[in-house]
Structure formats: structure tokens, C-alpha cells
Amino acid sequence: MRGPLGAVIGRYPSSDGSEQMGSIIRHNRKCRDLVFLVIFIAFWVAMIVNSSFGFNQGNPLRLTYGLDYKGNVCGDKHAKGLHQLELKYWLNPNQVYLSGLKDNQFKLANARSICLLDCPTPSEDSLSWVCDYPEGDIRLSMDDWIDRNYDYYEFLTPEMRNTSLQLQGPCYPVIFPSVNVYWSCQFIARPSNVSLRHWQQMGGVNINEDIIIDKSIHRSINSRSSVLKRYMADIGKAWPVLIVCGGILPLFLSVIWLLLIRHFVAAMPWITVGLFNILIIAVTMFYYLKAGWIGNDAISPIIGEHDPYIRISGRELTHLRAAAVFMTFITVVAVLTSIAIVRRILMATSVLKVAAKVIGEAQALIIFPVIPYTILAIFYMFWFSAAFHLFSSGQVVQNDCNLNCCVYDLLSKRVNCDRCCGYSIHYTPHIGVAILFHLFGGYWATQFFIACSSTVIAGSVASYYWARGETSPEIPFLPVFSSMKRLVRYNLGSVALGSLIVSFVESIRFMLESIRRRLKVAGTTPDNWFGKAVYHTSRFSLRCIEWTIKSANRNAYIMIAITGKSFCKASAIATDLIISNILRIGRVNVIGDVILFLGKLCVSLSTALFAFLMLDTHRYRSAHNKITSPLFPVLVCWGLGYVVATLFFAVVEMSIDTIILSFCQDSEEHQGTAQYAPPLLIETLNDQNEMQRLTQGPQ
């Protein structure tokens, strides 16, 4: 009977025929790359301090709702009486008109605004009013004010009525219909003739009726910063979708895939390729549905019921259409690529059989990824919460304006021209740095946990290879937990270094891509053929470097688990082994990696598809919980699904790579003939002519 597997190399004969203890997996290890472990710990302390700043200064409601003339956030439960009042409404239509003129210095942020429960519409037979919050001599509670449709004009003194007719408050006429666009009441440039006639008969000042009054608010609502805030708010509102589709569902699907690869290894490559094509086409179709190119289910910036003849579009719809076009291109390339590799699937089946056998021998590998998955889930809950607060941090300060915006103050009982400017959220450069630091920290932590998981799996699989199933007192009881113990005790510094390198390169690539987009928008990209060639070659080279580093890191983690060397030394050993055996293992390993990559995409695409379905329910289409676009929540679920799949698929991925590198090391130790390789692996790697015949077919 097969004994427990351990983390010590089996005994193998030396070149002179005697048996000696090998030097692959050692007991006498030392802690490596401690400096980078200290840096990682210090970075985590800085992450906690940085997040504390966000929790103290941020308010996620700012991502969705606007500010009133007192600087309160609409819908904020801490602001007196505003808990249910989520809509921002601009009281003075002439101020809105002035803010839309190109040659006028008046800004919409200084226009007088309050928070309401719904957007006012003109009366059909009289003149309706919307008045300031009840204060001073206006003896009404906030609830009574809401019940009266925000109108207490009948209680005003003659002086107050006169200032109201001058559009100085405290009451303002409802001349234009308004509609709820992203929780702000946007004016529709169709003034009510009845209301306008009553206003003129009462002696009110002239009200501008130009289309500018419509465009001014829409331009503010549709600004880049406003759209980015709404995207962040969408992720916050869709947190149940993120938990189900980004956490639970990929866990379930990944475990099922591992069980299937264990028991139906011959069919899984075919199933994976076919399912991948179906899923990517389905996700692309959902993008088309939400973009309005198929059916009548396009997203709308208008929240709640409205006149169907009102047509308002936003950046969110434009972004969805761009995503649909991009997904179409990706789908075409993916389908054609999958067709091209069909003839190589037999090669993938052979190498996956080796991994399936390893999983069958060390069955704890299937459930081990639950441990890093749980740690990552706890980390992401903290990270996302801190991200929302950081994005919404900043100080609410009154604008500095020297404009004539006098309004009637109910508390001082007079027209006040001193402090009539509006409020804005002031963002400092420190907040931008804090957000970038937080994003980098999240990516580094993710890479670190994935690297830890990969190293533990590599150590467990190496135990299987080198012990060769022989019972030995030197073999620990459980290979997985033994490998975890070695990681925590000796190798955390090396893992921190490897994950830092990947995170740093990825961040550099992201910044260069951002600069490239800005240059493209500014029209400063090179025009001559040489400049364009250098421009595109640099992008391709950077992606190649990124892929090479990720691949080298994965192999370095394997040699760290086997030899206990430092990251740089382990990476050099792995690279030397691969280069020496590239012709022997190259084709087999690459096609196996392709199938595993498609498997990860299948899991993540399934999460994206289910996220679309969940976001299409009434909960996320109603007013309070409505998301402005499914784009960001779906992308986040997609990314989380891919991370979870990576944790679980690493069992197969690292099993294959560890077995192959161990095979190469075994061959090096024994003059080209591996002594510890399983028969199935020897058959897969040595019978290249038969493999070539099977994959290429008759000529």
C-alpha cells in the first residue's frame, strides 16, 4: 500500500552505484529574501494607515448623490431630514441657464440646489412652487414640507413673496418639467405655457427658455469625474452580486472542474474548448443587449418612470457600446484560435493525465485552495470597502465666487449676498496618491496570495515525484501541510519578492498605456512609419516582458519549494532547466497551459454571464438600488472569478510544471535518464514521434 507522501527527496543511486540522500527537497533550509518580507509587512502597515484615512474622510454616498446649498449630501442619514431625499434639484432656472453660457463665469456648482424626494413637474392649471428647507418663521417640519410638495408660498410675508418673484427665494416657480437623471433633476427645455403665464401675471422676472438650460445640467452629470464616481457606486450597490458571482460561483465551478479533470480527463479538453466558445459568445450578446443594438433593453440614464418621448443618453451607454465592439473582436479571435488548437488537444490530454494522477494520489490538493481563497475573500471585503471610502474622500468646502447670487435667508430674515456660493468636494493630490497606492497594494496582495498557494502546491507535488510512493520515516504525514509549514517558515520573503516584481511590471505597463491613450487623444502619436513601428514594437515588447516574468516567477516558485533557494537563485535554476530541455517539454507544456487558461476563462466568463443575469433583476433596475451600468460590476465579477479560478486551477497547472521540472532535474542528476518519473510522464515526454503523428495526422 502507498504510504503517506512527504517533503523529502527519495534516495536515488549516485553515479558510482551507491545510494545517497539527494539534495532537491532539503530539511536544512534557511530563511531567504528576508528584506523583502520586511518590506511587504511595512507595506501592509502603510495600507492599513492609508485605508484608515479613507474611512475617516470618505462617504460613499458622495459617489451617487449631489450636495445641496448647505453642503449636505443628499440622502445622508446624518444630515437632518435628508435621509430619504436623494435627488438634487436646482431651484433657480436662470442660474442654470447662466452656467451653460460659454462666456459667463457662473458655474453650476454655485447654483442654489436642495434635496428632494422626487423631481417637480409644472401644474396643469396653476403655478407650482418649490421652497427652501423650512426654517425660521416657517413653522413646518420636514415631513410636512414634503407632504405639501415642498410648497409653503401661501405662508410667505409680502417681502418674501417679492424676493421670490425676483428668483431670490425662499420659494421658486416650477416652470420647466424635470426628470431624474442619475439622481439629479435635469430640466427639460419645454416650459409650461400655463405656469409661465401665471408667473408673468404675478410680475415675476424674465425666465430664459433656451435649450442651454437642458444642456448645462446634462454636461455636469455626464462629466468624466461624475461617470467614474457612478461606476464606483455601481460596484458598491452590487455587492451581493460580487459575493455570489465573484466569490461563491467561481469557487463552486472551479471545484467541479477539478473533480471532472480527475475523473474525465480525456474529455475535459474538448469540453473546455467548446464551453469557452459558447460562453464568450453569450457574454458578447449580453453586451449587445445592454448597448441597445439587440432588443429594447438598453440601459437608460433616466431613473424611474418618464415620458417615453424624452431621449437622454449618457457616457455609460457609449462605454457599453465600445465594450460590445471590443468583445466582438475578442470573440472572433478566440473562436478562430480555439479551432486552430483542436488538432493539438491530444497532446493536452496526455499532460493533463499526469496532473490527474497526482491529484488522485494527493487528494488534499483539491481542497487546499479553499485556504488562500478564504484569506483573499476577507482581504477583498476590507479592500473594496476602503476603496469606496478613498474614492469618496475629500473635504466639502464652500466655493469661492464673486458673483451676484443673493438669496433670502430665512434665519436672518433678509436677503443675504455674502455666503451664497455653492459647495464642492475638494480633492487634494494626496488623495490621488492614496488611491494609486491602494490599487497597487491590492494587486500586490493578490499576487502574493496566489504565489503562496502555488508554492505550497509545488512542494506537495514534488514530494509525490521524489518520494516515488515509498514509505519512509523521513516523509511527513501530510505533504500539503508540510509544504505550508516550509513556506511560512522559510520562503515568504522569496514569494514577496516574486509577487512584487510582477506587480511592479504590471503597474509600469498600466501607466505607459495611460500615457499612450493621452498621447493618442492629444494627437501626438508618431506619423511616420518608423515612429509607428517603434511605438507598436515597444507595446508588444512590454507585454512579452510581462508574460515572461510571470512565467519565470511560476517556475521560480516551484524551485523554491523544491530546493529552498532564494528567489533569484531558484529562478536561474528553473530557467536553466527549461532552456536545456525546451525541445523535450516545450510543446507538451504550452498546449497544456492553453487548455488551463481556457478553463480559467470558462469559469470567469460564467461569473460574468450570471452577473449580467442578476443585475437584470428588478432590484438593480429600481430607483434606489439602480445601477447606472452593468459594465463595472460585471468586469469586477469577471476579474474576481478569474482570480478564484487561478487559485484552484493552480493545482493542475503547478502539478504539471512541477512534475516536468522535477523530471528535468531528475534527468540532469542521472545522466539524461529520469529514475523517479512516473511511467505515464515518461511515455508522454519521451514518445515525441508518436505524439507528433497523433496531433498532425496523415500528410
Side-chain angles (χ1 to χ4, degrees):
M1 175 179 287
R2 181 177 297 281
L5 301 181
V8 187
I9 185 175
R11 300 179 181 276
Y12 58 80
S14 63
S15 57
D16 59 2
S18 63
E19 188 178 64
Q20 63 180 10
M21 179 62 70
S23 58
I24 303 301
I25 301 181
R26 302 174 183 272
H27 277 306
N28 56 337
R29 295 181 176 229
K30 295 191 298 183
C31 294
R32 307 285 186 178
D33 300 315
L34 279 177
V35 174
F36 293 96
L37 179 59
V38 173
I39 293 174
F40 184 73
I41 294 173
F43 189 89
W44 265 90
V45 173
M47 278 280 289
I48 294 174
V49 173
N50 188 57
S51 300
S52 300
F53 166 79
F55 285 119
N56 290 328
Q57 299 292 327
N59 181 0
L61 289 177
R62 297 173 185 169
L63 299 174
T64 301
Y65 308 116
L67 304 176
D68 65 5
Y69 70 89
K70 292 185 175 183
N72 297 316
V73 181
C74 294
D76 191 351
K77 62 181 180 180
H78 299 295
K80 182 179 179 181
L82 300 185
H83 177 55
Q84 295 181 334
L85 308 181
E86 300 175 340
L87 308 185
K88 180 177 181 178
Y89 177 73
W90 286 270
L91 292 166
N92 191 334
N94 277 359
Q95 288 183 338
V96 175
Y97 173 81
L98 290 175
S99 67
L101 298 176
K102 294 183 179 180
D103 56 349
N104 196 289
Q105 297 181 352
F106 192 87
K107 303 298 182 184
L108 186 62
N110 295 317
R112 195 167 183 83
S113 60
I114 61 174
C115 302
L116 302 180
L117 189 62
D118 48 18
C119 293
T121 55
S123 174
E124 295 181 359
D125 54 4
S126 62
L127 179 62
S128 299
W129 300 83
V130 173
C131 304
D132 278 339
Y133 304 131
E135 295 176 318
D137 291 338
I138 306 300
R139 306 296 183 181
L140 289 176
S141 66
M142 290 292 288
D143 291 335
D144 292 336
W145 175 67
I146 295 172
D147 292 338
R148 295 176 59 87
N149 290 326
Y150 328 108
D151 182 3
Y152 52 75
Y153 183 79
E154 62 182 281
F155 301 141
L156 299 184
T157 64
E159 179 188 5
M160 293 179 183
R161 293 191 178 192
N162 182 57
T163 55
S164 296
L165 292 173
Q166 301 300 315
L167 289 179
Q168 293 179 339
C171 293
Y172 298 82
V174 181
I175 303 296
F176 297 91
S178 57
V179 63
N180 181 355
V181 177
Y182 297 136
W183 295 276
S184 293
C185 294
Q186 177 174 322
F187 290 143
I188 305 299
R190 293 194 316 223
S192 169
N193 294 330
V194 174
S195 299
L196 196 58
R197 185 171 64 252
H198 278 82
W199 171 256
Q200 293 170 348
Q201 289 174 354
M202 295 174 68
V205 298
N206 181 59
I207 291 180
N208 297 295
E209 307 174 25
D210 196 273
I211 191 67
I212 292 176
I213 196 173
D214 185 322
K215 294 182 177 180
S216 176
I217 296 177
H218 185 67
R219 184 166 57 246
S220 174
I221 294 174
N222 223 26
S223 64
R224 295 180 186 273
S225 60
S226 298
V227 173
L228 178 60
K229 290 179 183 178
R230 290 198 294 270
Y231 278 148
M232 289 299 299
D234 288 342
I235 298 174
K237 292 176 183 177
W239 64 266
V241 179
L242 267 60
I243 292 177
V244 174
C245 297
I248 299 175
L249 182 62
L251 168 65
F252 178 72
L253 295 176
S254 298
V255 172
I256 288 180
W257 198 92
L258 286 181
L259 293 175
L260 290 176
I261 203 72
R262 169 71 182 90
H263 297 286
F264 305 100
V265 63
M268 282 308 295
W270 301 95
I271 294 174
T272 301
V273 172
L275 188 61
F276 166 73
N277 289 328
I278 295 173
L279 287 172
I280 196 170
I281 292 173
V283 171
T284 303
M285 290 300 101
F286 263 99
Y287 275 108
Y288 273 81
L289 283 170
K290 292 303 175 182
W293 287 342
I294 298 179
N296 299 313
D297 200 27
I299 62 170
S300 171
I302 302 177
I303 299 172
E305 297 181 359
H306 63 279
D307 186 343
Y309 295 101
I310 296 176
R311 301 292 185 208
I312 299 175
S313 61
R315 285 183 184 269
E316 284 85 351
L317 184 61
T318 304
H319 293 166
L320 263 179
R321 289 175 175 173
V325 173
F326 179 73
M327 281 299 300
T328 302
F329 172 76
I330 295 296
T331 300
V332 172
V333 173
V335 171
L336 293 177
T337 303
S338 63
I339 294 174
I341 68 170
V342 165
R343 298 178 67 187
R344 301 283 178 175
I345 283 183
L346 287 175
M347 193 179 295
T349 302
S350 299
V351 75
L352 288 176
K353 285 181 180 179
V354 178
K357 182 173 178 58
V358 176
I359 296 173
E361 296 289 346
Q363 296 184 9
L365 285 174
I366 296 180
I367 62 173
F368 161 72
V370 173
I371 298 175
Y373 166 85
T374 304
I375 297 173
L376 260 182
I378 296 172
F379 166 74
Y380 278 142
M381 290 179 186
F382 163 79
W383 187 87
F384 274 112
S385 179
F388 297 141
H389 284 82
L390 280 172
F391 269 91
S392 61
S393 59
Q395 293 183 333
V396 177
V397 297
Q398 190 169 34
N399 300 327
D400 183 15
C401 65
N402 299 315
L403 302 170
N404 180 18
C405 55
C406 301
V407 293
Y408 191 91
D409 189 346
L410 288 171
L411 294 177
S412 62
K413 301 179 182 179
R414 66 182 180 87
V415 175
N416 189 348
C417 298
D418 296 333
R419 297 180 59 82
C420 57
C421 298
Y423 284 80
S424 300
I425 301 174
H426 179 64
Y427 298 97
T428 61
H430 170 264
I431 296 175
V433 174
I435 292 174
L436 291 177
F437 183 84
H438 191 72
L439 294 174
F440 178 80
Y443 190 78
W444 187 7
T446 300
Q447 293 296 323
F448 177 81
F449 291 128
I450 292 176
C452 287
S453 177
S454 300
T455 305
V456 170
I457 294 170
S460 304
V461 175
S463 301
Y464 161 80
Y465 183 95
W466 293 102
R468 200 165 52 183
E470 297 177 355
T471 303
S472 169
E474 294 179 326
I475 298 176
F477 180 66
L478 289 175
V480 174
F481 290 103
S482 177
S483 185
M484 289 174 61
K485 180 180 177 181
R486 289 197 306 276
L487 168 71
V488 174
R489 187 173 179 181
Y490 301 112
N491 305 130
L492 285 180
S494 300
V495 171
L497 173 57
S499 56
L500 175 62
I501 292 174
V502 173
S503 303
F504 182 75
V505 172
E506 187 72 13
S507 300
I508 294 296
R509 189 181 71 82
F510 175 78
M511 288 188 289
L512 291 178
E513 281 290 318
S514 300
I515 295 173
R516 182 188 67 82
R517 292 191 191 96
R518 291 181 179 274
L519 292 175
K520 189 174 182 179
V521 171
T524 55
T525 53
D527 294 329
N528 55 47
W529 67 270
F530 180 77
K532 288 182 177 179
V534 173
Y535 180 74
H536 293 290
T537 301
S538 61
R539 289 183 59 202
F540 177 76
S541 301
L542 194 61
R543 287 187 178 274
C544 289
I545 292 173
E546 176 194 354
W547 179 86
T548 303
I549 288 178
K550 286 184 177 181
S551 178
N553 273 16
R554 192 174 68 188
N555 294 317
Y557 298 146
I558 295 172
M559 298 313 297
I560 288 171
I562 295 176
T563 66
K565 299 290 185 181
S566 65
F567 176 83
C568 295
K569 182 65 176 177
S571 181
I573 295 174
T575 303
D576 183 61
L577 283 175
I578 292 173
I579 293 176
S580 301
N581 298 270
I582 189 66
L583 296 178
R584 198 174 199 181
I585 67 176
R587 292 186 303 164
V588 176
N589 200 21
V590 168
I591 197 67
D593 285 347
V594 170
I595 295 298
L596 291 172
F597 176 67
L598 292 181
K600 296 178 193 176
L601 288 181
C602 284
V603 172
S604 57
L605 284 169
S606 298
T607 63
L609 187 62
F610 275 90
F612 267 123
L613 294 173
M614 285 191 67
L615 293 172
D616 205 32
T617 58
H618 176 72
R619 172 184 174 87
Y620 301 105
R621 296 166 68 97
S622 59
H624 180 73
N625 294 312
K626 178 181 171 66
I627 61 167
T628 60
S629 170
L631 181 60
F632 264 47
V634 167
L635 289 178
V636 171
C637 288
W638 197 337
L640 291 176
Y642 189 84
V643 170
V644 174
T646 299
L647 287 175
F648 282 86
F649 279 53
V651 172
V652 178
E653 200 168 30
M654 295 302 291
S655 295
I656 294 173
D657 290 348
T658 303
I659 289 289
I660 289 178
L661 281 181
S662 297
F663 175 87
C664 295
Q665 180 68 30
D666 193 5
S667 299
E668 293 284 337
E669 296 281 352
H670 299 95
Q671 292 78 41
T673 303
Q675 299 293 320
Y676 287 78
L680 181 60
L681 179 66
I682 295 176
E683 178 185 351
T684 301
L685 294 179
N686 287 343
D687 197 5
Q688 294 292 332
N689 293 331
E690 178 66 14
M691 185 63 62
Q692 183 175 1
R693 185 186 68 79
L694 290 173
T695 56
Q696 293 183 356
Q699 300 296 324

